[in-house]
């Protein structure tokens, strides 16, 4: 009797309240951490949700990319983190990271920093050449201008550089879900949803997206399956 009642209460909670509780918790977490803007990786500023960084770490270990393409360097911590994962893995990987501004003075032998717009012909051409020359998996991370129009252009340019079995991570679809980010809409989510309707070579890896319940990148882990 007790077990039936307990399972009924849990089912009711899951059906009626769980998502709202997760969203409220996420709202608190984002507000109180200054949206993760104060996080650091070994002293280097990194503007990422640390739950999401853990999934990135697991994915990089699973895929073992030869090249990670990052749009949106900012203060450099994320590219530095990816490069140091390669160091720890004893792998050959390289990182190319682009930003319209240079906001850091970091350097790492594995990282090529480019300054310019991710959607300019010049930058896209340079990165395409690096992707073609990579002799293993290519992983793409889109974390620059999060407007729908910009993400749609980045997806057209960079998603095709993703090798089969690897991922294109579209960051910050949370803009389209959390009320506090409404001024940034339409953001990455509609861009990626529209892209997927015409690109069956990509599928959402829901397990990677949802494992820690809260993520800045809902539906963001796009796996290239063909
Ligand atoms: C969210 S931050 C990147 C955070 C960084 N990946 C990290 O984890 O620390 C977004 C960056 O995108 C850059 N950005 C905006 N528009 C861009 C564009 N058209 N091309 C490249 N970078 C752009 C901004 O200057 C900003 O530094």
């Amino acid at each position: 009797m007790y077990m039936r009642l307990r399972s009924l209460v849990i089912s009711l909670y899951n059906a009626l309240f769980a998502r709202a509780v997760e969203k409220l918790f996420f709202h608190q977490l984002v507000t109180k951490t200054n949206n993760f803007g104060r996080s650091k990786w070994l002293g280097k500023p990194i503007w990422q949700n640390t739950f999401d960084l853990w999934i990135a770490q697991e994915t990089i270990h699973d895929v073992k990319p030869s090249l990670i393409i990052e749009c949106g360097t900012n203060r450099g911590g994320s590219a530095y983190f990816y490069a140091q994962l390669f160091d720890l893995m004893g792998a050959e990987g390289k990182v190319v990271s682009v930003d319209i501004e240079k906001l850091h003075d970091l350097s790492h032998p594995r990282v090529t920093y480019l300054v310019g717009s991710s959607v300019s012909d010049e930058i896209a051409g340079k990165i395409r050449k690096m992707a073609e020359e990579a002799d293993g998996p290519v992983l793409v991370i889109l974390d620059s201008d999060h407007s729908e129009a910009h993400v749609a252009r980045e997806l057209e340019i960079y998603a095709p550089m993703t090798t089969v079995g690897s991922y294109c991570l579209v960051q910050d679809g949370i803009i389209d879900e959390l009320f506090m980010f409404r001024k940034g809409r339409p953001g990455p989510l509609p861009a990626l949803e529209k892209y997927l309707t015409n690109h069956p070579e990509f599928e959402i890896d829901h397990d990677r997206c949802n494992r820690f319940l809260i993520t800045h990148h809902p539906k963001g882990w796009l796996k290239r399956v063909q």
Side-chain angles (χ1 to χ4, degrees), residues 45-48 53 70-79 82 97-101 103 114 116-120 123 141 143-146 150 154 171-172:
I46 183 167
W47 196 356
Q48 298 283 328
L53 269 188
E70 179 187 59
C71 295
T73 316
N74 196 251
R75 293 159 297 158
S78 48
Y82 306 138
S97 184
V98 59
D99 203 294
I100 39 170
E101 292 183 78
L103 298 167
L114 299 176
S117 175
S118 58
V119 297
S120 72
I123 294 289
I141 298 176
D143 187 24
S144 71
D145 172 345
H146 296 304
H150 187 82
E154 283 188 337
Q171 291 208 184
D172 289 294

Side-chain angles (χ1 to χ4, degrees), residues 15-69:
L16 297 177
F17 304 117
R19 189 65 194 129
V21 170
E22 284 160 22
K23 277 200 163 184
L24 283 171
F25 170 71
F26 197 10
H27 180 278
Q28 287 292 90
L29 186 67
V30 164
T31 314
K32 292 195 169 176
T33 57
N34 189 16
N35 196 20
F36 297 93
R38 292 167 53 212
S39 296
K40 290 183 179 165
W41 165 252
L42 299 182
K44 316 285 189 282
I46 183 167
W47 196 356
Q48 298 283 328
N49 174 332
T50 42
F51 286 113
D52 291 323
L53 269 188
W54 196 258
I55 300 290
Q57 171 272 128
E58 290 188 2
T59 307
I60 289 166
H61 183 264
D62 290 348
V63 173
K64 299 189 175 42
S66 289
L67 180 69
I68 295 176
I69 298 168

Side-chain angles (χ1 to χ4, degrees), residues 146-153 155-156 170-177 184-198 218-220 222:
H146 296 304
S147 65
E148 178 185 1
H150 187 82
V151 176
R153 288 178 72 196
L155 276 166
E156 292 298 338
V170 182
Q171 291 208 184
D172 289 294
I174 193 63
I175 287 168
D176 299 287
E177 291 199 336
R185 296 176 188 169
L189 257 190
L192 83 83
E193 282 165 346
K194 284 174 197 163
Y195 186 82
L196 287 176
T197 59
N198 297 318
K219 301 185 181 174
L222 307 185

Side-chain angles (χ1 to χ4, degrees), residues 124-181:
K126 279 187 187 165
I127 296 180
R128 187 173 294 108
K129 187 163 180 293
M130 292 176 78
E132 284 165 2
E133 287 171 0
D135 57 5
V138 176
L139 190 147
V140 173
I141 298 176
L142 304 182
D143 187 24
S144 71
D145 172 345
H146 296 304
S147 65
E148 178 185 1
H150 187 82
V151 176
R153 288 178 72 196
E154 283 188 337
L155 276 166
E156 292 298 338
I157 295 169
Y158 294 102
M161 299 181 199
T162 312
T163 48
V164 174
S166 183
Y167 289 84
C168 174
L169 171 62
V170 182
Q171 291 208 184
D172 289 294
I174 193 63
I175 287 168
D176 299 287
E177 291 199 336
L178 274 196
F179 185 70
M180 70 169 81
F181 296 129

